[in-house]
Amino acid sequence: NYANLVFALQYLDSLTSMDLTHCELLTKLPDITGVPNLTELHLDYCTNLEAVPDSVGFLAKLVELRAYGCTKLKVFPSALRLASLRSLILNWCSSLQNFPAILGKMDNLKSVSIDSTGIRELPPSIGNLVGLQELSMTSCLSLKELPDNFDMLQNLINLDIEGCPQLRSFLTKLRDMGQSTLTFGNIQSLNLENCGLI
């Protein structure tokens, strides 16, 4: 139960991987500052999970953070300073409305996937993900705008915004950017399916 998990996390400072997949009775993740060596945190299909503490956003050695299918997740770290993070997956967190601020450069993060979330906007600090290569935002029906500095993601190779009909202003901006050398010069795959293009 939750009390036992809280107790255990006080004495597992050598823990490097935590897999709580399908822990359907878990409603909130306790503070995990007591596991500073954690490299993997998997929360997939914790269908009643509502909150992930801010401490997760400051795990210096965390490489992979997954919360796939956590449909009730509303509270996620408001900010991330994860120098080692390579992959962030929040697909099907349909109740999640806010994407965390990125504190400082995170050049190791290569892949972000927020498909079918309730996220409404990406923060301007998304430009700090200087190493980002893959960004998937399919079926983010509430996503209305991308920040003006979005084109700072110069290492982006794959951009998938299929099924985001409210992003028309971004698509107009993308068109108007034309042949600018500052604009997504490394993009190899761009998916704009079902974005309401005219």
Side-chain angles (χ1 to χ4, degrees), residues 3-70:
N4 288 338
L5 180 60
V6 172
F7 179 79
L9 292 179
Q10 297 177 18
Y11 302 98
L12 296 174
D13 57 339
S14 297
L15 187 69
T16 59
S17 180
M18 187 186 306
D19 190 345
L20 299 174
T21 299
H22 286 289
C23 288
E24 298 175 359
L25 298 180
L26 185 67
T27 58
K28 63 179 179 178
L29 189 71
D31 180 88
I32 56 175
T33 52
V35 284
N37 294 306
L38 200 65
T39 61
E40 296 179 349
L41 178 58
H42 296 174
L43 301 169
D44 294 351
Y45 300 109
C46 293
T47 51
N48 285 299
L49 182 66
E50 297 180 0
V52 173
D54 281 341
S55 57
V56 170
F58 296 90
L59 293 170
K61 297 182 180 180
L62 194 65
V63 172
E64 183 176 50
L65 175 56
R66 298 177 54 97
Y68 192 108
C70 298

Side-chain angles (χ1 to χ4, degrees), residues 2-4 8 32 35 43-44 48 87 111 113 152 158 171 173:
Y2 182 77
N4 288 338
I32 56 175
V35 284
L43 301 169
D44 294 351
N48 285 299
S87 176
S111 177
S113 187
M152 289 177 60
N158 299 321
L171 297 175
K173 178 183 177 182

Side-chain angles (χ1 to χ4, degrees), residues 69-81:
C70 298
T71 53
K72 292 185 179 179
L73 182 63
K74 296 180 179 179
V75 179
F76 194 73
S78 57
L80 300 181
R81 188 190 299 274

